[in-house]
Amino acid sequence: MLCLAGYELDRDRAELRGPDGEAIKLRSKSFDMLWLFASRAGRVLGKQELIEAIWPNVRISENGLFQCIREIRAALGDENHALLRLVPGRGYVLDAEVTNRPGPEAAGREPGANLAAPPTIAVRPLTVPVDAALWAGMAAHVGERLADGLAKIERIRVIAPPPGAPVPSLDVGVAADFVVSGELHRSGGKWEARARMTATATGEVRWSGSATVPSEEGDPGLQQSRLAAGLGHPLALRINALQNSGAWMQGGGEDELPASHARVVIEQATAIINQTTRERFSVAQQMLEKALADRPDDVDLMAALAGHMLRGTQTAWYDHADTDTVENRARALLERAMQAKPYYIPVLEAYCRLLTMAGQLPETLIACGRMLSFDPWNGIALFHLGIAQTRQGRFEEALASFKRADTFDTPSFARWTWLLGAGMIYMLTERYEEALPWLERSLAVTPGTGRTHFALAVAHHQLGRSEEAKAAFAEGLGLRPGSTTHNVPLPKKNGSPVFLAAFDRYVQVLVQLGLPEN
């Protein structure tokens, strides 16, 4: 907890309490902003800095910022603006003494554990073999991108010592709780980056991973981005899992993370995303249902099953009459999961999907931004962000979101989604030749999705390639029997007129190819 002016700010409970101990209601963004001010008391924070920290990767007006400022001042009884002061031309500053206090959950933990301040991670430069000095520049850029990405993650502090410098430690006034170190190799036409995160107090390796990209005739910037993301994405997931398990600063093994049996079931179910068939989809759901029945309070299984069911409604694997029942059950599972772990990436991922399907587009933008604040390399969050922007008619912003996901290419099993997303933007803006390579790349990853074949059929038809269009359409209809003009388009709820008009043009081409209206 952080304490200021007689108030207690409890991060674990997401609660502000007054001098009398009573909770004071604050919206989540206002709470996050107050925590940011309190953790940087005495420092002026600019408007843009606040917006980027509280609404990462989301475009909002300054009005949203001012609403939070007003709510914070009202909650603190700061009518005279003496606590949260405006510094003209610079921003705002919290002018109060702030102290740390362990929360109630700290009972029984090791003395001296730093419970209120966020843990600090030192990112060391990647090393190269002694006989490969020419690779040093590549290693330095990958390490810098990794450190920059980690620095965007909420609830951790990142320091990046320059090459050759010692890891900061308590004896020089800066404590690094964890160190990320690694090396870069090149062989067999590939770059391979390896890294690990080690607890400085015990030397325990809390995470290790590797990433590879082709090294021949590639764009160095793209190679660096994908190597950094290939390390950063799983590391961000690990950090988030540890933070949500209570094992972050205490050490501990696999039993603090998702149960091994649950992880195996979820990984097997996830595998159906590639080469999907209705039969495999049903088998995966049965696996998740059985696992959840055995462990009814497992948040990972709740999130996995809810996301699976929502994906099934999107791909029309359920009977139309059952769709509402499926969505309601998925929502109920997610509500339980969100109550247990509101900052947990698997839960936020499924929640983003739910909001997208429900047409709650502004809420989707915020939820996806929240997810990216815990994993800035998360392509699934960027995909849902792009879908929401698409339905708002913000096509160029959506294309940028999909292309950003492709720049990171993580998680790899989901890459077909943002490839399809980019292809669809080119389709909706009638740039059919540009759509083709994106759609073909998507099909090369996951040929079992009818939606991509339909899009390819439209592109070929508009380019005058009738035979290719007919073949792609037939393939799509075979993969999605029962497709009609009602279940092929993206959901129209709350869609902008620009989006609706563009998608109507797209659907009319499918009707010309033989898509039934009922």
Side-chain angles (χ1 to χ4, degrees):
M1 290 192 295
L2 299 182
C3 302
L4 63 147
Y7 293 83
E8 291 181 341
L9 197 60
D10 189 333
R11 184 59 187 255
D12 286 337
R13 296 176 181 270
E15 186 174 82
L16 173 67
R17 291 187 287 273
D20 59 359
E22 290 294 317
I24 299 171
K25 186 175 181 180
L26 271 181
R27 291 178 303 153
S28 61
K29 291 298 181 184
S30 299
F31 180 91
D32 290 343
M33 188 175 292
L34 178 54
W35 181 273
L36 186 65
F37 277 119
S39 62
R40 294 161 174 76
R43 174 186 158 192
V44 178
L45 301 180
K47 294 177 184 178
Q48 192 58 37
E49 181 180 1
L50 288 165
I51 289 173
E52 290 177 358
I54 304 302
W55 294 274
N57 306 296
V58 177
R59 284 180 56 187
I60 77 155
S61 67
E62 289 189 355
N63 185 55
L65 169 67
F66 298 147
Q67 287 180 4
C68 288
I69 295 289
R70 287 194 292 269
E71 188 173 358
I72 290 170
R73 284 172 168 164
L76 297 177
D78 186 25
E79 294 86 356
N80 298 324
H81 304 178
L83 276 176
L84 188 54
R85 292 193 297 107
L86 172 67
V87 180
R90 294 183 61 196
Y92 295 87
V93 60
L94 183 67
D95 194 359
E97 181 180 353
V98 177
T99 57
N100 297 340
R101 181 187 302 169
E105 74 288 349
R109 291 189 181 176
E110 295 179 9
N114 190 354
L115 299 173
T120 297
I121 299 176
V123 183
R124 298 302 308 267
L126 297 182
T127 62
V128 297
V130 293
D131 58 347
L134 292 176
W135 304 351
M138 182 73 170
H141 287 302
V142 174
E144 288 168 3
R145 290 175 184 258
L146 178 61
D148 289 346
L150 289 172
K152 296 175 183 177
I153 296 177
E154 279 194 22
R155 302 165 76 188
I156 66 172
R157 180 169 175 253
V158 174
I159 51 179
V167 176
S169 58
L170 288 170
D171 60 353
V172 293
V174 182
D177 302 295
F178 302 91
V179 177
V180 174
S181 59
E183 52 279 335
L184 180 70
H185 299 272
R186 183 178 182 178
S187 64
K190 291 183 178 180
W191 289 110
E192 181 181 15
R194 302 173 188 161
R196 64 210 57 83
M197 182 176 70
T198 307
T200 53
T202 64
E204 178 190 8
V205 176
R206 305 300 298 277
W207 169 85
S208 65
S210 64
T212 61
V213 299
S215 62
E216 303 299 330
E217 300 179 1
D219 174 5
L222 183 61
Q223 292 170 347
Q224 294 157 13
S225 177
R226 289 187 172 176
L227 284 171
L231 296 175
H233 169 64
L235 176 55
L237 293 179
R238 176 69 167 185
I239 289 170
N240 183 259
L242 287 166
Q243 287 177 318
N244 281 275
S245 70
W248 182 220
M249 298 296 290
Q250 297 172 275
E254 296 295 318
D255 51 347
E256 283 92 2
L257 297 175
S260 57
H261 176 65
R263 287 201 307 276
V264 170
V265 172
I266 292 168
E267 288 168 3
Q268 291 175 340
T270 301
I272 66 96
I273 295 175
N274 292 337
Q275 313 295 334
T276 302
T277 65
R278 185 185 295 268
E279 293 72 23
R280 293 188 68 197
F281 179 86
S282 298
V283 169
Q285 178 160 341
Q286 291 169 16
M287 291 166 52
L288 291 168
E289 295 274 17
K290 183 178 185 306
L292 185 61
D294 294 337
R295 301 174 63 91
D297 296 323
D298 191 304
V299 173
D300 288 273
L301 289 170
M302 289 181 207
L305 179 56
H308 184 85
M309 295 168 73
L310 292 170
R311 191 178 298 113
T313 62
Q314 287 177 307
T315 51
W317 288 139
Y318 297 105
D319 290 339
H320 181 70
D322 297 331
T323 299
D324 288 344
T325 301
V326 171
E327 289 185 9
N328 288 336
R329 182 162 177 238
R331 184 182 292 274
L333 285 169
L334 278 179
E335 286 174 354
R336 286 180 58 203
M338 286 288 287
Q339 188 171 24
K341 294 185 178 182
Y343 304 120
Y344 193 32
I345 289 173
V347 175
L348 290 170
E349 179 185 319
Y351 186 56
C352 284
R353 187 181 296 275
L354 176 66
L355 293 172
T356 304
M357 291 179 57
Q360 296 174 249
L361 304 182
E363 293 84 353
T364 300
L365 298 179
I366 293 171
C368 290
R370 187 67 167 155
M371 190 170 158
L372 289 166
S373 73
F374 295 116
D375 177 8
W377 298 281
N378 197 300
I380 294 173
L382 289 167
F383 169 72
H384 287 299
L385 186 67
I387 290 295
Q389 291 165 333
T390 299
R391 289 167 61 181
Q392 290 180 326
R394 296 157 54 182
F395 294 146
E396 293 308 313
E397 292 175 55
L399 185 60
S401 295
F402 295 136
K403 287 187 173 182
R404 186 172 166 218
D406 187 50
T407 299
F408 297 146
D409 203 36
T410 50
S412 59
F413 70 80
R415 62 166 60 105
W416 71 275
T417 60
W418 54 78
L419 296 173
L420 171 58
M424 286 303 301
I425 293 298
Y426 283 122
M427 297 283 293
L428 296 177
T429 53
E430 300 181 277
R431 291 176 279 178
Y432 303 109
E433 198 70 58
E434 292 176 88
L436 285 176
W438 291 90
L439 297 174
E440 288 165 352
R441 286 177 60 199
S442 179
L443 284 173
V445 177
T446 303
T449 168
R451 193 184 296 274
T452 314
H453 286 284
F454 286 146
L456 192 63
V458 172
H460 283 311
H461 181 275
Q462 297 298 86
L463 291 169
R465 303 167 184 168
S466 58
E467 293 305 314
E468 291 93 333
K470 291 177 183 176
F473 179 78
E475 187 73 22
L477 205 58
L479 289 165
R480 288 188 59 159
S483 293
T484 70
T485 56
H486 297 289
N487 60 29
V488 165
L490 289 171
K492 295 184 178 182
K493 184 177 181 181
N494 297 328
S496 74
V498 172
F499 162 75
L500 294 174
F503 228 97
D504 281 344
R505 290 194 300 269
Y506 171 82
V507 172
Q508 287 309 307
V509 176
L510 289 174
V511 171
Q512 294 176 43
L513 288 167
L515 183 70
E517 297 191 20
N518 294 298

